């Protein structure tokens, strides 16, 4: 609890998804899929691309291979990762509205943050490095865990590296797969709809359409009821 706002509960950490949540890379990922399938004369639609939002890269590679991309799954993953990373390097990142500002304000308020993504570490570090000292204390990437989202492994690993209880954390996600991962970890989950519509059926404690007007105080206001409930359950 804070002295000024006794009804507000500070999270032990805020755990952030990357693609579609912090930076708007989903259109670039989808373009990489289009170019790769075109190269092999494979059929690929916009809806096919949407179906992969939030998925682990290995699953995406398997699906692209099944569709006719004549490469090994790991080759597909590396090709797409290089494609997206090259377009992010050397320029301004396509920040999602309000995301960078909220990460930096969390740092200024002393609340730890972690980046939890299914992208490869080489790409995740492009985003982490762009934020510098006001960014993430921990980065957990897709090649750091054995099981991808929707399994909770990445979120559990981030909480463990920060030395906090995942049920005392807030996670921010933009896809149904990511929301499922965060919920499974026990974190209070904020679902921020982006490319793929998110219904409350997808889970999560808070549903938003943007972070543009969400500062730390607003985040605490939104998440404190669920954090308080987690604390009460843990103390029983």
């Amino acid at each position: 609890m804070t002295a000024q706002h006794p009804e507000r509960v500070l999270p032990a950490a805020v755990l952030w998804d990357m693609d579609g949540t912090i930076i708007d890379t989903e259109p670039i990922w989808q373009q990489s899929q289009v170019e790769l399938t075109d190269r092999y004369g494979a059929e690929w639609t916009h809806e096919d691309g949407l179906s992969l939002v939030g998925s682990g890269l290995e699953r995406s590679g398997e699906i692209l291979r099944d569709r006719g991309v004549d490469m090994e799954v790991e080759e597909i993953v590396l090709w797409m990762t290089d494609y997206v990373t090259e377009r992010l390097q050397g320029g301004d990142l396509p920040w999602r509205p309000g995301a960078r500002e909220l990460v930096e304000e969390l740092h200024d308020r002393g609340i730890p943050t972690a980046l939890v993504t299914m992208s490869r570490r080489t790409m995740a570090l492009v985003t982490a490095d762009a934020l510098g000292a006001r960014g993430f204390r921990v980065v957990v990437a897709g090649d750091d865990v054995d099981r991808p989202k929707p399994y909770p492994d990445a979120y559990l690993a981030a909480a463990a590296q920060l030395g906090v209880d995942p049920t005392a954390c807030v996670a921010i996600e933009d896809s149904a797969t990511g929301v499922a991962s965060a919920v499974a970890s026990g974190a209070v989950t904020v679902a921020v709809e982006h490319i793929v519509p998110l219904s409350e059926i997808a889970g999560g404690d808070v549903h938003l359409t943007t972070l543009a007007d969400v500062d730390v105080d607003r985040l605490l206001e939104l998440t404190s009821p669920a954090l308080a409930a987690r604390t009460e359950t843990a103390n029983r």
Side-chain angles (χ1 to χ4, degrees):
M1 304 287 185
T2 66
Q4 292 181 325
H5 301 285
E7 76 283 4
R8 295 187 181 177
V9 181
L10 288 176
V14 177
L15 315 176
W16 288 80
D17 172 56
M18 183 175 74
D19 296 293
T21 301
I22 291 183
I23 54 174
D24 192 8
T25 52
E26 296 298 355
I28 310 175
W29 283 112
Q30 292 187 32
Q31 186 58 36
S32 77
Q33 297 155 14
V34 169
E35 292 197 18
L36 193 54
T37 49
D38 281 351
R39 175 182 295 187
Y40 288 93
E43 292 187 8
W44 193 255
T45 67
H46 180 64
E47 288 69 27
D48 291 328
L50 291 179
S51 72
L52 299 184
V53 172
S55 298
L57 285 171
E58 286 73 17
R59 176 175 177 270
S60 299
E62 290 167 359
I63 291 173
L64 286 161
R65 180 174 168 79
D66 290 343
R67 290 296 184 88
V69 175
D70 190 16
M71 297 167 64
E72 296 300 321
V73 170
E74 180 63 13
E75 290 180 299
I76 294 172
V77 169
L78 291 176
W79 191 94
M80 291 193 300
T81 298
D82 288 346
Y83 182 99
V84 178
T85 302
E86 287 173 7
R87 282 152 183 78
L88 295 178
Q89 290 173 327
D92 292 333
L93 295 184
W95 301 103
R96 293 286 297 135
R100 178 173 190 164
E101 293 83 358
L102 184 53
V103 172
E104 292 177 338
E105 188 186 355
L106 286 164
H107 172 271
D108 294 344
R109 296 277 287 268
I111 300 173
T113 58
L115 188 62
V116 184
T117 177
M118 289 298 93
S119 291
R120 292 295 174 92
R121 174 167 284 271
T122 52
M123 181 179 158
L125 291 178
V126 174
T127 300
D129 291 346
L131 285 160
R134 297 176 74 194
F136 306 105
R137 294 192 189 181
V138 165
V139 174
V140 176
D143 42 342
D144 295 326
V145 293
D146 293 329
R147 300 187 302 175
K149 299 174 184 178
Y151 294 101
D153 302 34
Y155 280 106
L156 295 175
Q161 290 182 36
L162 288 169
V164 298
D165 185 334
T167 65
C169 295
V170 169
I172 304 179
E173 275 281 359
D174 76 303
S175 70
T177 301
V179 168
S181 172
V183 169
S185 76
V188 171
T189 304
V190 178
V192 185
E193 190 170 298
H194 181 29
I195 287 180
V196 179
L198 290 176
S199 71
E200 293 191 6
I201 297 174
D205 300 276
V206 177
H207 288 253
L208 302 173
T209 57
T210 182
L211 291 174
D213 299 317
V214 178
D215 59 9
V216 171
D217 286 331
R218 177 59 175 155
L219 184 67
L220 297 181
E221 180 183 340
L222 291 168
T223 58
S224 286
L227 284 168
R230 301 284 204 284
T231 301
E232 182 178 352
T233 298
N235 290 337
R236 285 177 181 172

PDB file of all heavy atoms in Angstrom, residues 70-90:
ATOM      1  N   ASP A  70      10.014 -24.398 -48.186  1.00  0.00           N
ATOM      2  CA  ASP A  70      10.957 -25.526 -48.163  1.00  0.00           C
ATOM      3  C   ASP A  70      12.244 -25.149 -47.432  1.00  0.00           C
ATOM      4  O   ASP A  70      13.325 -25.032 -48.023  1.00  0.00           O
ATOM      5  CB  ASP A  70      11.254 -25.972 -49.593  1.00  0.00           C
ATOM      6  CG  ASP A  70      12.028 -27.291 -49.624  1.00  0.00           C
ATOM      7  OD1 ASP A  70      12.065 -27.986 -48.582  1.00  0.00           O
ATOM      8  OD2 ASP A  70      12.594 -27.616 -50.687  1.00  0.00           O
ATOM      9  N   MET A  71      12.108 -24.925 -46.137  1.00  0.00           N
ATOM     10  CA  MET A  71      13.236 -24.638 -45.264  1.00  0.00           C
ATOM     11  C   MET A  71      12.989 -25.356 -43.947  1.00  0.00           C
ATOM     12  O   MET A  71      11.851 -25.681 -43.603  1.00  0.00           O
ATOM     13  CB  MET A  71      13.349 -23.122 -44.996  1.00  0.00           C
ATOM     14  CG  MET A  71      13.615 -22.280 -46.225  1.00  0.00           C
ATOM     15  SD  MET A  71      13.366 -20.495 -45.907  1.00  0.00           S
ATOM     16  CE  MET A  71      14.652 -20.156 -44.686  1.00  0.00           C
ATOM     17  N   GLU A  72      14.061 -25.621 -43.204  1.00  0.00           N
ATOM     18  CA  GLU A  72      13.894 -26.177 -41.867  1.00  0.00           C
ATOM     19  C   GLU A  72      13.266 -25.117 -40.963  1.00  0.00           C
ATOM     20  O   GLU A  72      13.400 -23.905 -41.206  1.00  0.00           O
ATOM     21  CB  GLU A  72      15.242 -26.609 -41.297  1.00  0.00           C
ATOM     22  CG  GLU A  72      15.901 -27.747 -42.072  1.00  0.00           C
ATOM     23  CD  GLU A  72      15.037 -29.004 -42.086  1.00  0.00           C
ATOM     24  OE1 GLU A  72      14.410 -29.298 -41.039  1.00  0.00           O
ATOM     25  OE2 GLU A  72      14.977 -29.666 -43.136  1.00  0.00           O
ATOM     26  N   VAL A  73      12.573 -25.588 -39.931  1.00  0.00           N
ATOM     27  CA  VAL A  73      11.872 -24.665 -39.034  1.00  0.00           C
ATOM     28  C   VAL A  73      12.823 -23.622 -38.464  1.00  0.00           C
ATOM     29  O   VAL A  73      12.511 -22.425 -38.445  1.00  0.00           O
ATOM     30  CB  VAL A  73      11.167 -25.440 -37.896  1.00  0.00           C
ATOM     31  CG1 VAL A  73      10.650 -24.478 -36.824  1.00  0.00           C
ATOM     32  CG2 VAL A  73      10.015 -26.263 -38.456  1.00  0.00           C
ATOM     33  N   GLU A  74      13.994 -24.029 -38.005  1.00  0.00           N
ATOM     34  CA  GLU A  74      14.937 -23.072 -37.422  1.00  0.00           C
ATOM     35  C   GLU A  74      15.414 -22.061 -38.462  1.00  0.00           C
ATOM     36  O   GLU A  74      15.602 -20.881 -38.145  1.00  0.00           O
ATOM     37  CB  GLU A  74      16.137 -23.810 -36.822  1.00  0.00           C
ATOM     38  CG  GLU A  74      17.193 -22.914 -36.193  1.00  0.00           C
ATOM     39  CD  GLU A  74      16.695 -22.111 -34.990  1.00  0.00           C
ATOM     40  OE1 GLU A  74      15.597 -22.421 -34.467  1.00  0.00           O
ATOM     41  OE2 GLU A  74      17.406 -21.182 -34.566  1.00  0.00           O
ATOM     42  N   GLU A  75      15.566 -22.498 -39.713  1.00  0.00           N
ATOM     43  CA  GLU A  75      15.947 -21.566 -40.768  1.00  0.00           C
ATOM     44  C   GLU A  75      14.857 -20.516 -40.998  1.00  0.00           C
ATOM     45  O   GLU A  75      15.154 -19.339 -41.210  1.00  0.00           O
ATOM     46  CB  GLU A  75      16.203 -22.326 -42.073  1.00  0.00           C
ATOM     47  CG  GLU A  75      17.437 -23.192 -42.077  1.00  0.00           C
ATOM     48  CD  GLU A  75      17.609 -23.903 -43.399  1.00  0.00           C
ATOM     49  OE1 GLU A  75      16.720 -24.693 -43.769  1.00  0.00           O
ATOM     50  OE2 GLU A  75      18.620 -23.664 -44.083  1.00  0.00           O
ATOM     51  N   ILE A  76      13.602 -20.961 -40.954  1.00  0.00           N
ATOM     52  CA  ILE A  76      12.488 -20.036 -41.118  1.00  0.00           C
ATOM     53  C   ILE A  76      12.469 -19.017 -39.990  1.00  0.00           C
ATOM     54  O   ILE A  76      12.301 -17.813 -40.205  1.00  0.00           O
ATOM     55  CB  ILE A  76      11.149 -20.808 -41.172  1.00  0.00           C
ATOM     56  CG1 ILE A  76      11.085 -21.679 -42.426  1.00  0.00           C
ATOM     57  CG2 ILE A  76       9.962 -19.844 -41.132  1.00  0.00           C
ATOM     58  CD1 ILE A  76       9.884 -22.617 -42.473  1.00  0.00           C
ATOM     59  N   VAL A  77      12.654 -19.501 -38.761  1.00  0.00           N
ATOM     60  CA  VAL A  77      12.654 -18.619 -37.600  1.00  0.00           C
ATOM     61  C   VAL A  77      13.758 -17.577 -37.715  1.00  0.00           C
ATOM     62  O   VAL A  77      13.533 -16.381 -37.494  1.00  0.00           O
ATOM     63  CB  VAL A  77      12.820 -19.434 -36.303  1.00  0.00           C
ATOM     64  CG1 VAL A  77      13.096 -18.518 -35.114  1.00  0.00           C
ATOM     65  CG2 VAL A  77      11.568 -20.279 -36.041  1.00  0.00           C
ATOM     66  N   LEU A  78      14.956 -18.001 -38.086  1.00  0.00           N
ATOM     67  CA  LEU A  78      16.078 -17.076 -38.196  1.00  0.00           C
ATOM     68  C   LEU A  78      15.864 -16.089 -39.340  1.00  0.00           C
ATOM     69  O   LEU A  78      16.195 -14.902 -39.217  1.00  0.00           O
ATOM     70  CB  LEU A  78      17.383 -17.853 -38.397  1.00  0.00           C
ATOM     71  CG  LEU A  78      17.854 -18.670 -37.190  1.00  0.00           C
ATOM     72  CD1 LEU A  78      19.095 -19.479 -37.541  1.00  0.00           C
ATOM     73  CD2 LEU A  78      18.127 -17.768 -35.994  1.00  0.00           C
ATOM     74  N   TRP A  79      15.295 -16.562 -40.451  1.00  0.00           N
ATOM     75  CA  TRP A  79      15.047 -15.673 -41.588  1.00  0.00           C
ATOM     76  C   TRP A  79      14.070 -14.581 -41.203  1.00  0.00           C
ATOM     77  O   TRP A  79      14.311 -13.391 -41.474  1.00  0.00           O
ATOM     78  CB  TRP A  79      14.506 -16.484 -42.772  1.00  0.00           C
ATOM     79  CG  TRP A  79      14.464 -15.723 -44.058  1.00  0.00           C
ATOM     80  CD1 TRP A  79      15.426 -15.710 -45.029  1.00  0.00           C
ATOM     81  CD2 TRP A  79      13.419 -14.848 -44.519  1.00  0.00           C
ATOM     82  NE1 TRP A  79      15.036 -14.882 -46.065  1.00  0.00           N
ATOM     83  CE2 TRP A  79      13.812 -14.336 -45.782  1.00  0.00           C
ATOM     84  CE3 TRP A  79      12.196 -14.444 -43.988  1.00  0.00           C
ATOM     85  CZ2 TRP A  79      13.027 -13.445 -46.511  1.00  0.00           C
ATOM     86  CZ3 TRP A  79      11.401 -13.549 -44.716  1.00  0.00           C
ATOM     87  CH2 TRP A  79      11.812 -13.068 -45.960  1.00  0.00           C
ATOM     88  N   MET A  80      12.967 -14.949 -40.562  1.00  0.00           N
ATOM     89  CA  MET A  80      11.973 -13.950 -40.163  1.00  0.00           C
ATOM     90  C   MET A  80      12.538 -13.002 -39.110  1.00  0.00           C
ATOM     91  O   MET A  80      12.297 -11.787 -39.151  1.00  0.00           O
ATOM     92  CB  MET A  80      10.711 -14.636 -39.633  1.00  0.00           C
ATOM     93  CG  MET A  80       9.907 -15.365 -40.688  1.00  0.00           C
ATOM     94  SD  MET A  80       8.247 -15.827 -40.086  1.00  0.00           S
ATOM     95  CE  MET A  80       8.645 -16.866 -38.687  1.00  0.00           C
ATOM     96  N   THR A  81      13.287 -13.551 -38.144  1.00  0.00           N
ATOM     97  CA  THR A  81      13.875 -12.713 -37.098  1.00  0.00           C
ATOM     98  C   THR A  81      14.835 -11.695 -37.691  1.00  0.00           C
ATOM     99  O   THR A  81      14.810 -10.512 -37.329  1.00  0.00           O
ATOM    100  CB  THR A  81      14.598 -13.578 -36.055  1.00  0.00           C
ATOM    101  OG1 THR A  81      13.647 -14.457 -35.433  1.00  0.00           O
ATOM    102  CG2 THR A  81      15.257 -12.728 -34.993  1.00  0.00           C
ATOM    103  N   ASP A  82      15.689 -12.147 -38.617  1.00  0.00           N
ATOM    104  CA  ASP A  82      16.624 -11.225 -39.265  1.00  0.00           C
ATOM    105  C   ASP A  82      15.870 -10.156 -40.058  1.00  0.00           C
ATOM    106  O   ASP A  82      16.256  -8.974 -40.055  1.00  0.00           O
ATOM    107  CB  ASP A  82      17.565 -11.998 -40.197  1.00  0.00           C
ATOM    108  CG  ASP A  82      18.586 -12.828 -39.445  1.00  0.00           C
ATOM    109  OD1 ASP A  82      18.749 -12.614 -38.220  1.00  0.00           O
ATOM    110  OD2 ASP A  82      19.200 -13.713 -40.076  1.00  0.00           O
ATOM    111  N   TYR A  83      14.813 -10.562 -40.732  1.00  0.00           N
ATOM    112  CA  TYR A  83      14.008  -9.626 -41.536  1.00  0.00           C
ATOM    113  C   TYR A  83      13.458  -8.499 -40.659  1.00  0.00           C
ATOM    114  O   TYR A  83      13.582  -7.314 -40.994  1.00  0.00           O
ATOM    115  CB  TYR A  83      12.862 -10.405 -42.192  1.00  0.00           C
ATOM    116  CG  TYR A  83      11.965  -9.583 -43.099  1.00  0.00           C
ATOM    117  CD1 TYR A  83      12.142  -9.612 -44.473  1.00  0.00           C
ATOM    118  CD2 TYR A  83      10.927  -8.806 -42.575  1.00  0.00           C
ATOM    119  CE1 TYR A  83      11.303  -8.870 -45.322  1.00  0.00           C
ATOM    120  CE2 TYR A  83      10.101  -8.068 -43.407  1.00  0.00           C
ATOM    121  CZ  TYR A  83      10.293  -8.099 -44.771  1.00  0.00           C
ATOM    122  OH  TYR A  83       9.470  -7.358 -45.605  1.00  0.00           O
ATOM    123  N   VAL A  84      12.852  -8.886 -39.532  1.00  0.00           N
ATOM    124  CA  VAL A  84      12.245  -7.885 -38.653  1.00  0.00           C
ATOM    125  C   VAL A  84      13.317  -7.047 -37.965  1.00  0.00           C
ATOM    126  O   VAL A  84      13.206  -5.814 -37.884  1.00  0.00           O
ATOM    127  CB  VAL A  84      11.323  -8.561 -37.609  1.00  0.00           C
ATOM    128  CG1 VAL A  84      10.731  -7.518 -36.667  1.00  0.00           C
ATOM    129  CG2 VAL A  84      10.200  -9.330 -38.312  1.00  0.00           C
ATOM    130  N   THR A  85      14.371  -7.694 -37.475  1.00  0.00           N
ATOM    131  CA  THR A  85      15.421  -6.985 -36.749  1.00  0.00           C
ATOM    132  C   THR A  85      16.090  -5.938 -37.629  1.00  0.00           C
ATOM    133  O   THR A  85      16.351  -4.809 -37.191  1.00  0.00           O
ATOM    134  CB  THR A  85      16.470  -7.971 -36.216  1.00  0.00           C
ATOM    135  OG1 THR A  85      15.824  -8.926 -35.369  1.00  0.00           O
ATOM    136  CG2 THR A  85      17.548  -7.248 -35.417  1.00  0.00           C
ATOM    137  N   GLU A  86      16.360  -6.285 -38.883  1.00  0.00           N
ATOM    138  CA  GLU A  86      17.000  -5.340 -39.805  1.00  0.00           C
ATOM    139  C   GLU A  86      16.151  -4.085 -40.003  1.00  0.00           C
ATOM    140  O   GLU A  86      16.681  -2.984 -40.167  1.00  0.00           O
ATOM    141  CB  GLU A  86      17.258  -6.011 -41.153  1.00  0.00           C
ATOM    142  CG  GLU A  86      18.402  -7.017 -41.120  1.00  0.00           C
ATOM    143  CD  GLU A  86      18.520  -7.794 -42.418  1.00  0.00           C
ATOM    144  OE1 GLU A  86      17.780  -7.445 -43.383  1.00  0.00           O
ATOM    145  OE2 GLU A  86      19.334  -8.736 -42.477  1.00  0.00           O
ATOM    146  N   ARG A  87      14.839  -4.251 -39.963  1.00  0.00           N
ATOM    147  CA  ARG A  87      13.948  -3.106 -40.164  1.00  0.00           C
ATOM    148  C   ARG A  87      13.767  -2.274 -38.906  1.00  0.00           C
ATOM    149  O   ARG A  87      13.275  -1.145 -38.976  1.00  0.00           O
ATOM    150  CB  ARG A  87      12.612  -3.605 -40.722  1.00  0.00           C
ATOM    151  CG  ARG A  87      12.722  -3.896 -42.207  1.00  0.00           C
ATOM    152  CD  ARG A  87      11.769  -4.960 -42.690  1.00  0.00           C
ATOM    153  NE  ARG A  87      12.002  -5.224 -44.122  1.00  0.00           N
ATOM    154  CZ  ARG A  87      13.019  -5.965 -44.583  1.00  0.00           C
ATOM    155  NH1 ARG A  87      13.876  -6.523 -43.731  1.00  0.00           N
ATOM    156  NH2 ARG A  87      13.182  -6.148 -45.886  1.00  0.00           N
ATOM    157  N   LEU A  88      14.158  -2.826 -37.775  1.00  0.00           N
ATOM    158  CA  LEU A  88      14.087  -2.074 -36.526  1.00  0.00           C
ATOM    159  C   LEU A  88      15.378  -1.322 -36.234  1.00  0.00           C
ATOM    160  O   LEU A  88      15.366  -0.275 -35.590  1.00  0.00           O
ATOM    161  CB  LEU A  88      13.783  -3.012 -35.359  1.00  0.00           C
ATOM    162  CG  LEU A  88      12.423  -3.712 -35.354  1.00  0.00           C
ATOM    163  CD1 LEU A  88      12.319  -4.641 -34.152  1.00  0.00           C
ATOM    164  CD2 LEU A  88      11.278  -2.706 -35.356  1.00  0.00           C
ATOM    165  N   GLN A  89      16.492  -1.874 -36.691  1.00  0.00           N
ATOM    166  CA  GLN A  89      17.782  -1.268 -36.389  1.00  0.00           C
ATOM    167  C   GLN A  89      18.019  -0.014 -37.229  1.00  0.00           C
ATOM    168  O   GLN A  89      17.604   0.070 -38.375  1.00  0.00           O
ATOM    169  CB  GLN A  89      18.909  -2.279 -36.639  1.00  0.00           C
ATOM    170  CG  GLN A  89      18.918  -3.416 -35.628  1.00  0.00           C
ATOM    171  CD  GLN A  89      19.933  -4.488 -35.981  1.00  0.00           C
ATOM    172  OE1 GLN A  89      20.198  -4.750 -37.141  1.00  0.00           O
ATOM    173  NE2 GLN A  89      20.497  -5.122 -34.953  1.00  0.00           N
ATOM    174  N   GLY A  90      18.687   0.927 -36.611  1.00  0.00           N
ATOM    175  CA  GLY A  90      19.089   2.119 -37.351  1.00  0.00           C
ATOM    176  C   GLY A  90      18.002   3.149 -37.539  1.00  0.00           C
ATOM    177  O   GLY A  90      18.163   4.088 -38.310  1.00  0.00           O
TER     178      GLY A  90
END
